[in-house]
Amino acid sequence: MDIYESHSINKEEKELLLNYLGRDPSHTEIGIFSVMWSEHCSYKSSRHWLKKLHTEGIQVIQGPGENAGVVDIGDNQAIIFKMESHNHPSFIEPYQGAATGVGGIMRDVFTMGARPIALLNSIRFGELTHPKTKFLLSGVVAGIGGYGNCVGIPTIAGETGFDSSYNGNNLVNAMCVGLTTKDKIFYSKASGVGNPVVYVGAKTGRDGIHGATMASGEFDDESEKNRPTVQVGDPYAEKLLLEACLELMQKDAIISIQDMGAAGLTSSSVEMADKGKVGIELNLDYIPTRQQNLTAYEMMLSESQERMLMVLKPEKTEIAKEVFEKWDVDFAIVGKITETNNIVVLHNGMIEADIPIKFLTDNAPMYKREKIKKNKRNQKRQPLPSIKPKDAILKMLNSPNICSKKWIWEQYDRTIMANTLNDAGGDAGLVRIENTEKAIAMSCDVNPRYCHADAKKGAMQAVAECWRNIISMGAKPLAITNCLNFGNPEKPEIMNDFVETIEGIRDASIALDFPVVSGNVSLYNETNGDAIKNTPTIGGVGLVENIGVLDNFGSLNIGDSIYMIGKKGSHLSCSTFEEVYNGESSIDPPEIDLYQEKLNGNGVLELIQEKIITSCHDISDGGMIVTICEMIMMDEKGATINIVDNNKMIGELFGEDQSRYIITISPELESIFEKKMKKRGVKYELIGCITSSQLKINDSIIISSNEIRDAYESLIPSVMNNMA
C-alpha cells in the first residue's frame, strides 16, 4: 500500500492532486488533501444533490453553508440549530464517540453566537439480543448524558430505535438548539489581510488523527483497531470555552469564528479562508500542545476537542486575550490572513504546506455516482396472523421500538436551566425562552422501515412526523435540520435511495413550509458489505408565541371525549405490527398526502391555540392504540374505545396511516370543535372517552393499567440490568 492509498486517496484522485500542485506533495500536504477530500468533509458523493433541498422561507436568516442554521422567532431573537452524526466513532468507542458528538454539535451552535438551550439525539442500535448491543447502548447513553449533564445543557427529547441492520453500525445523531439576538450572529467568513488568526481552547494532542477519513469508509472486522482515531472529550473544558466565547462576542472583537471539528485545524482554517476568498498562514510553533514533539502533520490533522479558530480585529487582540485568560482557556496567535488564496503551514522554520485553497474546496472531487432503483419484484407481503387484540396490544407495548425508553432518558438531565416545560416521553421537547412568553418545541424523527421500503416516501414521512410532533406541542413549525445516514454511495441502489430521499425531504418541506436550514451527511455506514437501513433523521423546531395557551394543556380529565383527527387506520403493511409478528416488513409503507398533512396539522394547531382541546398526540409507530396507551400511562388514567367493525379492529388499532392525531376534549366544547373541523375540511371521529383506569375496547377487551405499564416499561430494564 503506497502513501496515497493509506490516506484513502484513490488513483484518480492522486492524479488530480499531482496535476493541481505540479509537484510531489509533502507528507503534511498529503494529510491535508486526504481529510479535505474525504467524504466526511468534501461531501463528494452528495453535494451535487444537496443543492436541490428547499432552504428558503421568510423565517430563515441563515440556511445551509454555515456552522448551523438560523431562524427568526421575532423580537430580535433567533434560534440557531443543527444536527450531526458521530456514528463511526461511537461504534468504535461508544462513550467518547457519543460524548464528543454532543460536544461538537454544541460548538457548531455557540460558534455562531447562540447560548445552547437544549440538546436532542436520535440513536439506533442493532437487535436487543445482539451480543454487542447492550455494550454500545450503555456506552452511548452514558456518553450523551455525561457530556450534556456536565456542561449544563438539558437533553430534552430524542428517539431510540433497534433493528438488525444496525448490528454492525450503530447511529448517534446529536442535535443542539441555541438562542441569540439577530444582531449578534457570528459567521465563519474570514476577512482583512494581516488580521490575526487566533487559536483558543484545549491543547492539541494526538487523539482523533484521521477521524474524518475513518468516518468516510466502511467498517470490517478489524475496525476496532481505529480506536486511536476517536477523539477524547472534556465537558468542563467545553463549558469554559463556551462562556469565554460568548463573553468575547459581546466586545465587538471577532471578525470570523469556526469550530475545530472533523479534520481539526485543517478544515477550520481552510473553510474560513475559502468563504472569505482570502489566504491564511499558520505557524504551528505557537499551537498549544499537550504532548511533546508533535509534527506538523499531527497538529494539522488532530481532532482534539474543545477548540476554536478565530480571526480578530487587531486592536481587540489584547481584550480577547484577557477574556480567555480569565476563563483559564488557552489563547494563542497562530497566524494571519493573507492575500495569496493559499493555506501556508509553517513549523520549525520550514514550509510544511503551501496549497491553493480552491484545490481543497471548490475543486475537490465531486462524483455523480451511478444510480439504480431497487428491484422490489421479489419482495412478497407475508400474511398477518390471526391474533387476539389484547395479546397484540401487550406484545406491541413490549416490543423494542415501541416500549418505554425511560431507562435511557432518565440518565439525561432535562431540568437543568429550569426552562424545560414538559415531561419526558412526549411528542417533542418544549423549552421556555426566559423573560418572554415564548417557547421552542423540538423533535427528532425518522422511520427506517418506511425509508428502506420506499426512500422518497419514507423521507416525506420523516419530515411530516416531525411536523406533527411539533404541532402536538402547540407550536408553529419553523424549520428543520437533517442527518442523512446511508451505506456505501458507490453502490448504485444506495445512491439512488439517497437521491430519492433528497427529493422526498424537498417535497415535504415545500408543502409544509418547513425549510432545511442545516444538516449533515453520513455515508459508508456498513460493515463487511452489510449496510444500515436508510436513516434520514429529521430534527425540527417550532415556536409557541404565548405559552399561556398551554396552561393545563396535556392533562387528561375523566369524561373527556377522545377524537381521532384523520381517517380510520387500516394500513398494516410496513408497520410496527407487521415487524413484530412477521420479523421483516413488506414493501409498501403508508401513503402520505402532504396537502392533507398540512390541513390536519393547521387545524389541530388552531384547536390548541384557542384552548379547545385538553391534550394531543400524533399517531405514528404502533398506530392509534399505542398512542392512546402512551397518553393514559403518562397521566395515570384509563380509556374506553369503540370500534364499530370488529372485522377491521386490528387495522384500526395498529394501522399506521399518516396525518393523524389523537385529541381529547371536554364534552361541552365538542360542538365548537366539530364546526371548526368541518369548516377546514378536516376528517374526525369520536372514538371513546377518558376513564379513571384500565383500557376497555367495545366493553369486551379489558386491559388493566398495571398490565399496560408492565408491558411498556419492563423490556429495556430487564435487558440492561442483566448485562453480561
Side-chain angles (χ1 to χ4, degrees), residues 331-348:
F331 174 99
I333 299 173
V334 297
K336 63 183 179 182
I337 299 301
T338 69
E339 59 187 3
T340 65
N341 294 114
N342 284 19
I343 178 172
V344 177
V345 179
L346 307 174
H347 188 223
N348 294 332

Side-chain angles (χ1 to χ4, degrees), residues 207-224:
D207 54 314
I209 293 173
H210 272 299
T213 308
M214 178 270 293
S216 305
E218 295 181 27
F219 280 161
D220 56 31
D221 294 333
E222 302 297 312
S223 291
E224 292 195 21

Side-chain angles (χ1 to χ4, degrees), residues 15 54 76 83 252 305 361 414 474 476 565-566 589 682 723:
E15 291 176 359
H54 173 60
N76 194 40
M83 181 189 297
D252 191 31
Q305 297 292 283
T361 55
R414 59 181 288 105
K476 179 183 178 181
I565 302 293
V682 174
M723 291 182 64

Side-chain angles (χ1 to χ4, degrees), residues 486-503:
F486 286 78
N488 185 345
E490 298 166 46
K491 296 179 179 179
E493 289 188 347
I494 290 176
M495 194 67 226
N496 188 79
D497 278 358
F498 181 86
V499 174
E500 290 191 358
T501 295
I502 296 294
E503 294 171 351

